[in-house]
Amino acid sequence: MAHLDSEVKEECLREDLKFYFMNPCEKYRARRQLPWKLGLQILKIVMVTTQLVRFGLSNQLVVAFKEENTVAFKHLFLKGYSGIDEDDYSYSVYTQEDVYESIFFAINQYHHLKNISLGTLGYGENEDNRIGLKVCKQHYKKGSMFPSNETLNIDSDTERDCLHIDLQALSKNPQDWKNSSFFRLEFYRLLQVEISFHLKGIDLQTIHFRELPDCYIFQNTITFDNRAHSGKIKIYFDSDAHIEECKDLNISGSIQKNTQYILVFDAFVIVICLASLILCTRSIVLALKLRKNLTNYDLCSILLGTSTLLVWVGVIRYLGYFQAYNVLILTMQASLPKVLRFCACAGMIYLGYTFCGWIVLGPYHDKFEDLDTVAECLFSLVNGDDMFATFAQIQKKSILVWLFSRLYLYSFISLFIYMILSLFIALITDSYDTIKKYQQNGFPDTDLQEFLKDCSSKEKCQKESSAFLSCICCLRRKGSDDHLILIN
């Protein structure tokens, strides 16, 4: 009886394993079991993707509102702004008069903002809970300079002075604050002037898309950079927008009804995802038994985008049941270890070229000024992008550096495209050829498959087992035996 009981358990295990490795179609033909897990997966894909598209369209409105306001601020507060930025800064001035006029222009525009702005803007409080502008200047403590005599006497320590100008002071005679000693700039020791102010705005375009409007706080900073002391002061404009919940909203119309529909849809998505999570947890528990026997748009976009990616990738599991569709999966599994080891070696060469280009070509080429820019430029070259422009934009101020740049670029392109990239593709191709041969001639049997071969058919089980064994193992499983199913 003990021997018979052992055979019963062994045959039941074989049947459970064979049923697990069936694809959904085979499971339906074998036991008329509907692939409801696959249906739930498809439903989850449709709903999560719909939610992602809806969030993406809403996020487009947010990005567009921020960018358009930034452009509007530059035209409002920067004197003579043409609409085209110069490299990483807005524009430059070259005379002392232009510096003073640019500073006073920004202050006056802030004072008359409500009369000149086309947007839904208002004044906001700064870090000190005060409404107005904060003007700060940074300069060397003291010093004297006589370029004609090649004489310099300066204290390298810096100090920072700030002046707060509120709306009441701006409403008075402008000459009172313009003639202040604070605005008497000594340019030979001036490092930078910074004008900061906060504005508030409401995004009304969301109403046209039947969504509730958002309230924004814009932290704006205008920086006059004179650190180079080259006779050119670069003017930067930075606007950092933060979304806040509006305190008092009173909107009539169909938008409230649409918001309720969205909440119901979101709740249904949560229910479906929870059901999927419960099924995954249940599968893990059953497998263990058998073995033993945001108002934050950035965070929301990362989480929602990653979850949608994982949901779509999860469908590959069902395609893996069919031999005609699982070539990609098997090739990736077979080639991944070799590819990772190969990339580790190639990465050392890539880093060497990155540091070399940064140090040598940085002063002579825009694409090699920063370390991250160099890495991006080299990656583009590996993929055959922007090659001629990279060669052509190198400055010819130094013949030695120009010759080195040719040797550097030719060797990198030849090495990575003709050798490293070809070997990389060859590794994947080799794994693909191996998988194709296995599909034609059969895959090597694993220990699990050898175990399943001992009882490959229901008829064989019935011949080798007793009638009692056949009733237990070879007939359709009862509902109470579901805990024996192995889930991978």
Side-chain angles (χ1 to χ4, degrees):
M1 292 297 295
H3 177 70
L4 182 61
D5 184 61
S6 176
E7 289 184 352
V8 169
K9 293 181 178 180
E10 182 177 336
E11 295 303 327
C12 288
L13 180 60
R14 284 196 182 96
E15 289 296 316
D16 290 332
L17 291 173
K18 284 193 290 184
F19 183 76
Y20 164 72
F21 285 108
M22 293 180 181
N23 60 54
C25 296
E26 292 174 343
K27 288 181 179 179
Y28 177 77
R29 288 194 294 265
R31 298 180 181 175
R32 299 300 176 183
Q33 177 176 318
L34 295 175
W36 57 276
K37 292 182 180 179
L38 175 60
L40 180 62
Q41 186 79 1
I42 295 176
L43 178 61
K44 184 173 65 173
I45 289 175
V46 173
M47 299 194 65
V48 172
T49 304
T50 303
Q51 191 179 40
L52 177 71
V53 172
R54 187 174 59 83
F55 176 82
L57 295 176
S58 177
N59 198 27
Q60 284 182 356
L61 299 179
V62 174
V63 174
F65 185 76
K66 291 181 179 180
E67 292 179 349
E68 291 174 2
N69 272 276
T70 301
V71 174
F73 292 154
K74 290 183 178 181
H75 283 277
L76 283 174
F77 299 107
L78 300 184
K79 181 179 176 61
Y81 179 67
S82 63
I84 301 176
D85 292 345
E86 303 177 14
D87 295 335
D88 58 338
Y89 50 92
S90 297
Y91 74 109
S92 306
V93 291
Y94 300 91
T95 65
Q96 296 183 14
E97 182 181 1
D98 289 340
V99 174
Y100 285 116
E101 288 182 355
S102 298
I103 293 175
F104 297 149
F105 177 82
I107 297 175
N108 286 325
Q109 291 292 98
Y110 176 83
H111 179 215
H112 301 96
L113 177 66
K114 292 185 177 180
N115 298 327
I116 61 178
S117 174
L118 298 176
T120 56
L121 298 174
Y123 299 112
E125 298 177 347
N126 57 18
E127 296 84 355
D128 302 326
N129 295 325
R130 302 171 66 180
I131 296 178
L133 299 106
K134 185 178 181 181
V135 185
C136 297
K137 60 180 181 180
Q138 184 181 7
H139 51 79
Y140 295 115
K141 283 188 176 181
K142 58 181 179 179
S144 60
M145 182 174 57
F146 302 97
S148 58
N149 297 331
E150 299 180 355
T151 303
L152 174 64
N153 180 19
I154 198 166
D155 187 351
S156 60
D157 293 333
T158 62
E159 60 183 3
R160 181 183 176 90
D161 299 327
C162 294
L163 174 67
H164 181 83
I165 307 177
D166 55 20
L167 293 176
Q168 293 181 352
L170 293 174
S171 300
K172 298 178 181 178
N173 189 357
Q175 298 300 325
D176 293 342
W177 53 267
K178 286 184 179 180
N179 295 330
S180 172
S181 59
F182 179 84
F183 290 105
R184 297 173 186 171
L185 305 177
E186 297 178 340
F187 289 93
Y188 72 91
R189 65 189 186 101
L190 177 68
L191 293 175
Q192 72 174 26
V193 176
E194 187 177 276
I195 304 175
S196 58
F197 53 92
H198 290 192
L199 298 175
K200 292 184 177 181
I202 301 178
D203 185 8
L204 296 180
Q205 64 178 334
T206 56
I207 296 180
H208 299 288
F209 297 91
R210 301 185 181 277
E211 295 184 9
L212 295 177
D214 295 320
C215 292
Y216 290 79
I217 295 181
F218 298 97
Q219 299 177 359
N220 301 318
T221 304
I222 305 174
T223 304
F224 297 79
D225 188 3
N226 191 40
R227 296 180 183 274
H229 288 90
S230 60
K232 171 183 177 179
I233 293 184
K234 301 177 181 179
I235 301 179
Y236 298 85
F237 186 93
D238 179 66
S239 181
D240 190 10
H242 298 279
I243 302 177
E244 289 190 353
E245 185 177 354
C246 297
K247 296 180 180 179
D248 187 13
L249 287 178
N250 185 12
I251 303 175
S252 59
S254 59
I255 185 173
Q256 294 292 343
K257 188 176 182 180
N258 184 72
T259 304
Q260 294 176 358
Y261 290 151
I262 294 176
L263 292 176
V264 172
F265 178 77
D266 291 341
F268 192 51
V269 172
I270 293 175
V271 172
I272 295 298
C273 292
L274 286 177
S276 178
L277 176 62
I278 293 173
L279 289 177
C280 293
T281 306
R282 171 181 172 271
S283 300
I284 295 174
V285 172
L286 292 179
L288 292 176
K289 285 184 178 181
L290 189 56
R291 287 178 60 187
K292 298 176 183 180
N293 195 39
L294 279 164
T295 53
N296 190 328
Y297 277 88
D298 293 335
L299 180 60
C300 290
S301 61
I302 291 174
L303 295 178
L304 188 56
T306 304
S307 62
T308 307
L309 171 64
L310 296 177
V311 167
W312 277 95
V313 172
V315 184
I316 296 180
R317 174 200 171 196
Y318 296 96
L319 296 178
Y321 286 116
F322 305 96
Q323 184 175 351
Y325 297 98
N326 63 355
V327 177
L328 174 62
I329 307 170
L330 297 177
T331 304
M332 291 174 61
Q333 291 176 345
S335 63
L336 184 60
K338 294 183 289 185
V339 168
L340 291 178
R341 290 191 292 267
F342 181 81
C343 289
C345 298
M348 301 300 174
I349 304 176
Y350 189 84
L351 287 176
Y353 271 92
T354 301
F355 286 112
C356 178
W358 179 43
I359 295 299
V360 180
L361 304 180
Y364 302 93
H365 203 297
D366 295 339
K367 296 182 179 180
F368 291 84
E369 290 182 350
D370 301 321
L371 191 61
D372 55 342
T373 308
V374 178
E376 295 168 357
C377 176
L378 294 181
F379 187 78
S380 299
L381 291 177
V382 171
N383 293 276
D385 183 29
D386 213 20
M387 284 190 179
F388 178 77
T390 305
F391 277 95
Q393 291 177 5
I394 188 72
Q395 300 177 14
K396 296 183 180 181
K397 295 181 179 179
S398 173
I399 298 299
L400 181 61
V401 174
W402 184 84
L403 292 175
F404 177 84
S405 68
R406 265 47 193 171
L407 177 62
Y408 172 85
L409 292 175
Y410 278 122
S411 62
F412 175 82
I413 293 173
S414 301
L415 178 62
F416 271 82
I417 292 183
Y418 302 136
M419 183 177 294
I420 294 180
L421 189 59
S422 299
L423 289 175
F424 182 85
I425 297 174
L427 289 176
I428 301 176
T429 305
D430 180 65
S431 300
Y432 174 77
D433 293 337
T434 303
I435 296 301
K436 291 295 292 183
K437 291 179 181 179
Y438 283 159
Q439 287 186 331
Q440 293 174 359
N441 304 325
F443 287 86
D445 291 334
T446 62
D447 294 338
L448 178 61
Q449 290 171 333
E450 291 289 347
F451 174 75
L452 294 177
K453 281 185 177 180
D454 292 342
C455 183
S456 59
S457 65
K458 176 180 175 181
E459 290 78 14
K460 186 176 180 181
C461 288
Q462 290 175 335
K463 291 180 181 179
E464 294 181 355
S465 305
S466 63
F468 174 73
L469 182 64
S470 300
C471 294
I472 296 179
C473 295
C474 299
L475 296 180
R476 185 175 180 179
R477 177 188 285 105
K478 298 179 181 179
S480 60
D481 295 331
D482 284 345
H483 67 282
L484 294 176
I485 298 177
L486 173 62
I487 303 298
N488 188 6

